[in-house]
Amino acid sequence: MNQEQFKYLFNTYFDAIRNYLYFRSGDSELSTDIAQESFMKVWEKRDSFNEPPGKALLYKMANDLFISRYRRDVVAQNYIANEKQYDETESPEDILQYKELNHKYELALTQLSEKQRVVFLMSRDEGFKYSEIAERLNLSVKAVEKRMKNALQFLRNALKNEIILNQPIKF
């Protein structure tokens, strides 16, 4: 595709694609930006076209770009909303307490026996059921239950009574 063919495509379809995007979004600046981006992509890929792309392909490209932009904006808005909620509910003191508790939890995990730690992490972190853990470790379900009970009891006592070795907290 040469420059003249591209110019013809642009002059013929740009306004129609921009109007289509405006109908979908209700935002004139956004529709203009996406229409321009669509034609930029056509120009960048001009060497791969034997003939100028058809009207349907131009609309498809514009629609795909619109959907991508919409999804990206939704993710950004959700992040901002969650960030504000987090900022409003958590004080620096709460954050520090959480970090200290998390550090104690990690230290307590290291003090569990290997058998208890494996069962605990498979259940809590990986979401396996006791029967699945028993099958994978070639144990009975009762053995898994006992290891889990002992692990939970140790962790509860360790976090409650702070029987963990006093080690410096690393952030």
Side-chain angles (χ1 to χ4, degrees), residues 90-162:
E90 300 292 328
S91 69
E93 184 178 320
D94 291 338
I95 294 169
L96 183 61
Q97 287 176 348
Y98 172 78
K99 287 181 180 179
E100 289 174 358
L101 181 63
N102 192 41
H103 178 72
K104 291 175 185 176
Y105 167 74
E106 289 175 4
L107 285 175
L109 276 179
T110 63
Q111 294 178 356
L112 282 173
S113 72
E114 183 68 23
K115 293 176 181 180
Q116 290 175 350
R117 184 173 41 253
V118 168
V119 168
F120 178 80
L121 292 175
M122 286 179 79
S123 173
R124 295 301 196 247
D125 285 353
E126 297 176 27
F128 290 120
K129 297 177 182 173
Y130 289 176
S131 59
E132 295 171 328
I133 296 170
E135 183 180 313
R136 289 177 186 240
L137 298 178
N138 295 323
L139 298 170
S140 69
V141 175
K142 285 291 183 188
V144 171
E145 289 174 356
K146 184 174 181 180
R147 289 180 185 182
M148 190 65 169
K149 176 186 164 239
N150 291 338
L152 289 171
Q153 191 173 25
F154 177 82
L155 289 171
R156 193 176 302 117
N157 288 334
L159 294 175
K160 181 178 167 185
N161 301 327
E162 298 185 30

